[in-house]
Amino acid sequence: MKKRVLVTGASRGIGRAIAERLRGQGYDVVTHSVRSEGTDLRFDIADREACRAAIEADIAANGSYYGVVLNAGIADDNAFPALSGEQWDRVLRTDLDGFYNVLKPIVMPMVSARSQGRIIAISSVSGVVGNRGQVNYSAAKAGIIGAVKALAVELAKRSITVNCIAPGVIETDMIKDIPAEEVKKAIPMRRFGRCEEVASLAAYLMSEEAGYITRQVISINGGLC
Ligand code: NAP
């Protein structure tokens, strides 16, 4: 039977590339977005009850997940003096609370399945080193790293691995407003990453071959840090 994998934020960008790669490798991929018509599931990851209802219904109908890629996320940047409470709350509620909201209904069924499991969270270079204008986003993405490391310890004896991918600057809608040439100068490889490059790493971490890698933050950033 095909292994079921949920990819959040799979309508575009990094999530879509990961979903396509995993599907190509024979996984039964369940795609998600907040509002895009083409995905299997649609809910706001900041809405705990919506996450619970949609995920529990999918698991009840189709069985537990072997893997999940927590990819959906937002940025809402501003220099700290101008960063509004609303910007802080929206990014923390979505990017950090989303980790809990999506995983909570998934983990117990995954444990009960008594097979291997894979949890991959997409953090960011901003969560590893911090980034100007992204105090809210950096806090949320650093929080995800802490959560992943703790959960990895809890789930290790169940053969469920929990890891973070920390991308640098990847060509997606999220970076469309940044000063591209300026930013490239700070990247040793002098280019942005491609979604497919992140997808390759996610596919490896999802594989049975990666069963001894857990509690790690793996960067993919062209040497940015
Ligand atoms: P993107 O192109 O902006 O796509 C975002 C995805 O997340 C979409 O599928 C979107 O669904 C979904 N989404 C947004 N808000 C949501 C919400 N409240 N609830 C549920 N789904 C929501 O983003 P991306 O650049 O591919 O980034 C993907 C992940 O990588 C994010 O976690 C981001 O922080 C991280 N990341 C990106 C970069 C980069 O340079 N691009 C670097 C480091 C880390 P809809 O299509 O329905 O809106």
Side-chain angles (χ1 to χ4, degrees):
M1 218 169 69
K2 285 185 171 183
K3 294 189 172 93
R4 300 188 78 226
V5 174
L6 172 66
V7 182
T8 68
S11 54
R12 48 201 169 91
I14 294 169
R16 182 167 66 190
I18 291 173
E20 284 171 0
R21 178 68 58 99
L22 293 176
R23 193 173 290 121
Q25 294 192 343
Y27 295 92
D28 177 7
V29 177
V30 180
T31 56
H32 155 272
S33 70
V34 64
R35 65 183 70 81
S36 299
E37 293 296 327
T39 56
D40 300 313
L41 303 179
R42 272 190 307 280
F43 52 81
D44 181 351
I45 59 168
D47 181 339
R48 186 162 301 155
E49 179 52 26
C51 292
R52 190 196 61 73
I55 292 169
E56 281 186 1
D58 184 58
I59 290 175
N62 303 302
S64 63
Y65 302 120
Y66 157 80
V68 55
V69 183
L70 300 161
N71 164 81
I74 57 165
D76 191 352
D77 300 351
N78 226 332
F80 190 71
L83 189 69
S84 68
E86 193 188 12
Q87 286 178 302
W88 173 269
D89 290 344
R90 197 165 81 88
V91 170
L92 270 288
R93 295 293 81 85
T94 305
D95 292 357
L96 185 55
D97 289 6
F99 177 92
Y100 176 87
N101 297 342
V102 173
L103 265 190
K104 193 67 192 350
I106 288 175
V107 165
M108 273 320 292
M110 197 183 254
V111 167
S112 302
R114 294 184 177 279
S115 60
Q116 291 196 41
R118 300 280 180 267
I119 296 168
I120 302 168
I122 308 296
S123 177
S124 169
V125 64
S126 303
V128 178
V129 297
N131 192 26
R132 178 191 296 274
Q134 293 196 311
V135 172
N136 53 351
Y137 183 76
S138 300
K141 293 296 187 177
I144 287 172
I145 291 172
V148 157
K149 288 183 174 177
L151 187 61
V153 179
E154 290 193 25
L155 297 180
K157 62 177 179 297
R158 311 284 188 171
S159 300
I160 297 171
T161 66
V162 191
N163 292 292
C164 267
I165 293 176
V169 188
I170 310 297
E171 281 168 352
T172 72
D173 292 346
M174 190 177 263
I175 64 149
K176 64 183 187 311
D177 295 328
I178 68 170
E181 292 318 307
E182 199 57 35
V183 174
K184 279 181 194 168
K185 285 184 194 150
I187 302 170
M189 284 193 172
R190 296 286 189 272
R191 69 169 176 88
F192 297 150
R194 292 184 281 271
C195 293
E196 293 70 25
E197 292 173 314
V198 183
S200 296
L201 177 55
Y204 176 65
L205 289 175
M206 191 58 70
S207 72
E208 288 195 11
E209 281 180 309
Y212 201 52
I213 302 174
T214 197
R215 208 181 179 185
Q216 301 304 307
V217 181
I218 302 177
S219 292
I220 173 161
N221 58 29
L224 185 56
C225 73

